[in-house]
């Protein structure tokens, strides 16, 4: 289970102030005339502080733009609100600004809840996604848990609402799972969400007579999202819980049986098959952590199914789908049959993240889905993600050894002064030798 401790803290950014001392002035005045020395002393602070002023101006412009977007969440126009939601999401994904967000968390969370209740498809979708990004930004604060808890009932309602669009329901499934994953609430809440998600994707099980259920592409996408978000929550459960709750021959109020999950591998939709395969890999990884012979006999039949999927060459499937399916199920087959654990290395900045096993891979993929290219920034700066992936404290960047313009000016002035003194001495000796 990912670590959630030590989440209190704040990040600060301090400007670098450059001052010119009287010693520096004297060097310049010795090297130059009085008038030129005064002119240089007036211009140097302006040159040195140009970068600092630019950074401050950029930060102020960024904060002003974000404030406008947050204020725009309360406007009457639904289209305008969606634009503001999208703008805030892009900023939250590529920048880590926890202190700024902490001061405005109530405004943002209230707007999210209102849009989930009264908005339509696209607005509900963007609001659900922003709820998770808000949780990521507030991860180091205690307020993150309270906000996720307050939004849980609304997200649950939309996820279960058959009248809502499947895309909005899919995003609410992800939001419920990831908010729970990031906020680290108690096991009872986790089991409640796990049960809700398993009920949603149960529509892709085989029918009572063993035939494949007729599911549209949109509903299949919903089921695949529910399976993947359900799998994410399995990764934070203990191996003992997985061993006791998931078995081949029995189901309970919270978990389907393994036989039911295997039926999902027969779905005609690629996303459902891939999500189900990864779910089974995570289950076996956790089950074997508790007992090395977890469902050993049942796995024999599963291996036969996995081999078919790993070598599928049916022409009625798209070539791209066949290629992706074979690649994924080869990894799953190697793990279930030979216990070969997948490994993955992710380089970001000066660091490298090592991912070993299906649980770590599932968690990382979920974070990538949310943050996109901004994942590297959050891995480097976001303390919540660094705790989840066991990266330790933030690594300070290596400072550049490049000299500033002021330092170069002062060094040139000192060299000029030394050179002038030496030349004056040489001239004095030459003049003395030439004297009659």
């Amino acid at each position: 289970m990912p670590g959630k401790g030590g989440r209190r803290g704040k990040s600060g950014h301090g400007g670098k102030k450059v001052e010119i001392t009287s010693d520096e002035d004297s060097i310049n005045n010795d090297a130059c005339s009085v008038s030129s020395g005064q002119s240089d002393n007036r211009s140097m602070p302006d040159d040195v502080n140009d970068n600092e002023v630019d950074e401050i101006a950029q930060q102020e412009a960024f904060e002003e733009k974000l404030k406008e977007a947050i204020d725009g969440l309360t406007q009457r126009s639904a289209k305008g609100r969606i634009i503001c939601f999208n703008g805030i999401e892009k900023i939250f994904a590529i920048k880590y600004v926890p202190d700024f967000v902490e001061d405005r968390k109530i405004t943002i969370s209230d707007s999210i809840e209102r849009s989930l209740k009264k908005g339509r498809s696209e607005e509900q979708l963007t609001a659900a996604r922003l709820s998770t990004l808000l949780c990521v930004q507030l991860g180091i604060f205690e307020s993150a848990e309270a906000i996720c808890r307050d939004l849980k009932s609304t997200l649950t309602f939309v996820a279960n609402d058959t009248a809502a669009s499947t895309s909005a329901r899919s995003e609410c499934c992800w939001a419920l799972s990831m908010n729970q994953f990031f906020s680290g609430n108690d096991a009872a809440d986790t089991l409640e969400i796990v049960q809700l998600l398993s009920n949603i994707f149960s529509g892709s099980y085989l029918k009572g007579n063993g035939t494949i259920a007729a599911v549209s592409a949109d509903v299949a996408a919903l089921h695949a999202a529910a399976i993947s978000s359900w799998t994410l929550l399995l990764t934070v459960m203990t191996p003992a819980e997985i061993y006791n709750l998931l078995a081949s021959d029995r189901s309970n109020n919270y978990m389907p049986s393994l036989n039911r999950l295997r039926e999902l591998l027969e779905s005609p939709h690629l996303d459902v098959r891939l999500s189900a395969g990864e779910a089974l890999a995570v289950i076996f990884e956790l089950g074997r952590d508790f007992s090395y012979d977890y469902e050993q006999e049942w796995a024999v039949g599963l291996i036969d199914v996995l081999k078919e999927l790993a070598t599928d060459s049916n022409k009625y499937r798209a070539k791209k789908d066949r290629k992706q399916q074979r690649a994924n199920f080869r990894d799953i087959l190697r793990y279930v049959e030979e216990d070969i654990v997948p490994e993955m290395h992710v380089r970001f900045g000066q660091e490298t993240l090592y991912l070993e096993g299906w649980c770590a891979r599932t968690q990382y993929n979920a974070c990538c889905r949310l943050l996109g290219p901004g994942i590297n920034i959050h891995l480097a700066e976001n303390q919540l993600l660094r705790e989840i992936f066991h990266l330790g404290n933030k690594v300070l960047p290596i400072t550049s050894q490049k000299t500033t313009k002021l330092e170069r000016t002062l060094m040139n002035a000192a060299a000029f002064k030394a050179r002038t003194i030496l030349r004056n001495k040489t001239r004095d000796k030459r003049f003395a030798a030439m004297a009659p």
Side-chain angles (χ1 to χ4, degrees):
M1 179 171 179
K4 299 292 193 297
R7 292 152 54 128
R8 297 184 181 86
K10 292 187 177 181
S11 60
H13 303 279
K16 185 177 180 181
K17 187 175 181 180
V18 178
E19 296 181 356
I20 300 177
T21 64
S22 58
D23 291 338
E24 294 166 350
D25 290 341
S26 66
I27 294 172
N28 285 299
N29 289 335
D30 289 339
C32 311
S33 65
V34 174
S35 60
S36 63
Q38 290 174 345
S39 175
D40 289 342
N41 287 337
R42 283 195 302 270
S43 63
M44 275 191 292
D46 295 335
D47 294 338
V48 171
N49 290 331
D50 278 347
N51 291 337
E52 183 181 353
V53 171
D54 288 345
E55 289 178 3
I56 294 174
Q58 290 175 3
Q59 182 65 19
E60 289 177 351
F62 157 73
E63 291 184 357
E64 188 62 33
K65 182 178 179 181
L66 187 51
K67 287 177 185 176
E68 290 178 3
I70 293 172
D71 292 340
L73 296 178
T74 59
Q75 62 183 288
R76 289 189 176 184
S77 169
K79 185 176 180 180
R81 290 194 301 271
I82 292 171
I83 292 173
C84 291
F85 272 122
N86 288 328
I88 297 171
E89 287 169 12
K90 289 178 181 177
I91 292 174
F92 281 6
I94 63 173
K95 280 188 175 287
Y96 181 52
V97 284
D99 294 331
F100 182 91
V101 177
E102 169 69 11
D103 294 337
R104 295 159 181 82
K105 61 182 182 294
I106 301 301
T107 303
I108 300 173
S109 62
D110 287 348
S111 298
I112 291 171
E113 186 172 14
R114 184 166 52 251
S115 293
L116 285 171
K117 288 180 177 178
K118 299 181 179 180
R120 300 205 175 189
S121 175
E122 190 176 357
E123 186 175 356
Q124 289 177 318
L125 183 152
T126 54
R129 188 161 54 236
L130 183 58
S131 73
T132 305
L133 287 166
L134 179 61
C135 186
V136 170
Q137 290 285 340
L138 296 176
I140 60 173
F141 298 106
E142 295 294 337
S143 55
E145 293 185 20
I147 287 175
C148 291
R149 186 169 55 248
D150 293 341
L151 293 174
K152 178 187 166 188
S153 60
T154 307
L155 289 168
T156 300
F157 177 80
V158 178
N160 274 324
D161 186 9
T162 55
S165 70
T166 54
S167 58
R169 294 179 66 192
S170 297
E171 202 60 49
C172 285
C173 289
W174 272 112
L176 281 168
S177 176
M178 297 200 72
N179 291 357
Q180 183 70 13
F181 172 68
F182 286 129
S183 64
N185 289 326
D186 60 25
D189 288 336
T190 300
L191 286 176
E192 183 181 340
I193 297 173
V194 160
Q195 182 181 17
L196 179 149
L197 295 172
S198 62
N199 289 337
I200 290 175
F201 66 72
S202 63
S204 281
Y205 294 152
L206 297 180
K207 293 181 180 180
N209 58 4
T211 59
I212 297 174
V215 176
S216 66
D218 289 342
V219 175
L222 168 63
H223 292 174
I227 297 168
S228 295
S229 51
W230 178 79
T231 305
L232 177 64
L233 288 182
L234 296 186
T235 65
V236 301
M237 299 176 70
T238 65
E241 288 174 326
I242 297 297
Y243 185 86
N244 293 324
L245 290 173
L246 277 158
S248 58
D249 56 351
R250 69 176 187 276
S251 59
N252 51 64
N253 293 332
Y254 302 105
M255 298 284 190
S257 67
L258 293 180
N259 286 325
R260 277 298 202 182
L261 292 175
R262 186 170 59 183
E263 293 176 5
L264 298 173
L265 298 176
E266 301 183 40
S267 171
H269 301 281
L270 176 66
D271 289 346
V272 174
R273 295 195 301 274
L274 295 180
S275 299
E278 291 173 3
L280 287 166
V282 168
I283 290 168
F284 269 85
E285 182 175 270
L286 291 169
R288 287 174 178 175
D289 283 347
F290 185 83
S291 175
Y292 73 94
D293 60 348
Y294 174 73
E295 294 292 342
Q296 201 165 19
E297 294 182 4
W298 183 82
V300 174
L302 175 65
I303 288 171
D304 293 336
V305 177
L306 295 177
K307 284 181 178 178
E308 291 181 10
L309 293 169
T311 57
D312 186 7
S313 58
N314 290 317
K315 297 298 183 181
Y316 64 84
R317 302 195 200 279
K319 184 177 180 180
K320 182 180 177 181
D321 290 352
R322 292 200 307 269
K323 184 178 179 180
Q324 184 178 359
Q325 175 178 296
R326 287 197 294 263
N328 283 39
F329 278 99
R330 276 197 296 266
D331 290 341
I332 297 170
L333 177 62
R334 272 196 295 266
Y335 177 69
V336 175
E337 186 176 26
E338 304 174 35
D339 205 24
I340 299 176
V341 179
E343 295 182 357
M344 187 175 171
H345 298 167
V346 180
R347 289 186 60 83
F348 61 98
Q350 308 166 45
E351 302 174 82
T352 301
L353 171 63
Y354 295 92
L355 299 169
E356 185 177 9
W358 287 98
C359 289
R361 185 170 169 174
T362 298
Q363 293 172 358
Y364 178 76
N365 287 341
C367 291
C368 285
R369 178 192 176 275
L370 176 69
L371 300 171
I375 182 68
N376 288 349
I377 295 172
H378 283 272
L379 286 174
E381 300 181 6
N382 192 320
Q383 192 58 38
L384 174 62
L385 263 66
R386 294 187 68 84
E387 289 178 5
I388 289 173
F389 294 108
H390 310 292
L391 291 169
N393 293 326
K394 180 180 175 181
V395 175
L396 297 177
I398 299 174
T399 56
S400 174
Q401 300 300 318
K402 186 177 179 180
T403 57
T404 64
K405 186 175 180 180
L406 173 61
E407 291 171 337
R408 292 195 302 271
T409 302
L410 296 180
M411 286 189 294
N412 290 338
F416 177 80
K417 179 180 178 181
R419 189 167 57 248
T420 302
I421 293 173
L422 180 61
R423 285 176 178 175
N424 287 338
K425 288 180 180 180
T426 303
R427 289 193 189 101
D428 292 342
K429 290 179 181 179
R430 189 171 65 241
F431 291 151
M434 294 174 62

